[in-house]
Amino acid sequence: MSLIIISCVLSLSLIWAVNACARSAYWGLAGACVLTAGLTILPAFLMCIFFEAVALQSLLTFVLLLCCIIFRRKPTAAFPLSIAAMVASYGFCFFSAYGRIQDLSQLRERFPLQSVSERLAYEGHSLERGADAESASGTSVLSSEVDQRLTLHEEARIRSGQSWRHNRRTMLASLHTRQSDDFALAQGFGRVRMMPGFVSEREIELPQADPIAIPNSEEPAYKSGQDSPDAVADHDDSPLLRVTPENLLSLHESGMADFVAPDRIGYVQDRNHVAGFQAHGFTKMPELTEAQDQSPAAWKVVRLELVSLLKHRNPVAYISKHLPQMDELRDAPTRALEAFERQSLEQLKSEEDVVIDETADRIRMVGSLRAAKNCLDCHSVQRGELLGALTYELVPAKKTRKKAASASSPSS
C-alpha cells in the first residue's frame, strides 16, 4: 500500500508540473510536451523499474499533449488530459494485477497446504516396535567427523535457500503467505522492491520423474569371487583402478543429496501445513567421481536399495528393479538385512556415514540417511538421528562376461 501511495504522490506531482508548464506564458503546451518527453526518455525510463504506472502516465501525457499541439488546443486542455493519462495508466496496472492475482489463486488450489502427519505417523511408535530408547529419541552423540559433515550439509541447504531466484520453496512460501499477491500488485508500483514475491509456475511445477531402472538388474546374479557357470575369459584384463573411501563417500553424498533434494520438499510451515511436497526419490543414477591424478574408477552401481529403520519392527530393505522412490516403495516387497548391513547400521548411528566392504570384484556399502535441521520441520526426530540408509553394491564395469552379473542375491 505504501508503494501505491508513493506512486500516487509522484503522479500528482507530474500532473501539477505539466499544468504549471502549460499555463506558463513562456513555456506553454510546447514546454509541457518537452517536459513529458524528457521524463519519458530518461527519468521515466529509470522510474519504470520502480514505478511503472508513473512511467506509463508520463508517456501517455506526452502523446496527448502532442495531439493538443497538432490540433491547436488551448493550454487548459492539459489538465483533463493529464488526469486521463493517470487514470488510464493506473487502470492498466490494476487490471494486469487482477489477472495475475487470479492466476496465483488457481496456483494455490493446485498446490494447497496439506498435512504429512499421517504419512509419518509411524515415527511416534518406535518404542512400540521394539526400538531401544536411544534410537527412538535420537539422543546418540555423533562423532566429530559425522557432525561436521552434517553441519556442512545443513549450511549448503541454507545457502541454497538464501537466494530467491529459481528457489521452489521460496516461491511456494510467497504463494501461501500472499506475498506473491503483493508482488503482482506492486508490478506497476514498485516491482523491484517486491522481488522476493516473484512466483513462476514453471519453477513450481516439477516434471514427473520416470522410474530409473538399475543397470543389469534383470541379469543372472553371481556371487563375489565366482564366475557365472558359462563365463568365459573374454573380459578386459587390464588392472582395475581402486576406489578410495573418499570416492565412495562422495558417491553416497551425491546420491543422498538427490534423494532428499530440497526442491521436492516444497514449503513447510509445519508437518500439518506443507505445500508442493513430492516424495523422496532418485532422479539419476549415482556415479563415482573422477579421482585426482587418475581416470574414473571402472566400477558401477548394480544394486541400490532403501533401508527402512522406523516403519517396521526390524530394519528391512525394499526390493525394487528401480532406484528407490518413496511412493513406489510404499507397497514394495521387503527383505531382511544381511549380516554386513545389520552391523553397518550400528556404526552409522553415530560413528560413520558410510561403511564399506570391499573385495577384488565387488564393493558393498551402506550409507546413512540422517536427520538434518530442515528435516525436523516434518520428522518427529532429533538432529542427527538415523532415519534410514541406502545399501549399495558395485561391480567392475570393465569386466564383460557372457552372462554378466548384476548384484549378488541378497541373503537374509
Side-chain angles (χ1 to χ4, degrees), residues 222-226 240-243 248 298-299 340 356-365 392-396 399 401 408:
Y222 71 103
K223 294 292 184 180
S224 175
Q226 298 179 359
L240 288 171
L241 294 173
R242 307 311 300 170
V243 292
L248 294 171
W299 294 80
F340 165 70
I356 302 166
D357 174 39
E358 184 177 2
T359 62
D361 60 359
R362 184 176 71 156
I363 298 175
R364 292 189 300 169
M365 178 175 69
Y392 304 77
E393 184 171 356
L394 296 86
V395 299
K399 285 193 175 183
R401 307 172 188 271
S408 60

Side-chain angles (χ1 to χ4, degrees), residues 255 257-261 264 278-284 323-326:
D258 182 35
F259 186 73
V260 295
R264 294 199 297 275
Q278 287 192 5
H280 300 312
F282 284 89
T283 61
K284 59 185 177 182
L323 292 181
Q325 299 281 344
M326 289 298 294

Side-chain angles (χ1 to χ4, degrees), residues 196-219:
F198 173 76
V199 171
S200 168
E201 180 179 354
R202 184 179 61 182
E203 299 293 340
I204 292 180
E205 185 73 60
L206 293 179
Q208 189 66 34
D210 295 327
I212 302 174
I214 299 175
N216 297 328
S217 60
E218 297 182 357
E219 295 288 342

Side-chain angles (χ1 to χ4, degrees), residues 103-155:
D103 293 339
L104 292 171
S105 178
Q106 295 177 6
L107 204 57
R108 268 189 290 271
E109 293 178 0
R110 289 175 53 197
F111 297 93
L113 290 171
Q114 298 176 317
S115 175
V116 296
S117 295
E118 185 176 349
R119 178 191 290 260
L120 301 174
Y122 59 84
E123 291 180 346
H125 307 290
S126 56
L127 287 175
E128 297 176 12
R129 293 192 304 273
D132 56 73
E134 184 180 24
S135 74
S137 63
T139 56
S140 58
V141 179
L142 303 178
S143 69
S144 59
E145 291 185 358
V146 170
D147 186 74
Q148 184 178 8
R149 279 193 291 268
L150 183 59
T151 300
L152 291 174
H153 173 68
E154 292 168 339
E155 290 175 350

Side-chain angles (χ1 to χ4, degrees), residues 16 23 30 34 67 77 88 103 120 173 184 222 230-231 236 252 268 291 306-307 309 326:
W16 176 85
R23 291 174 181 271
V34 171
C67 292
D103 293 339
L120 301 174
Y222 71 103
D230 298 327
D236 186 354
H252 169 64
V268 182
L306 176 67
V307 176
L309 302 181
M326 289 298 294

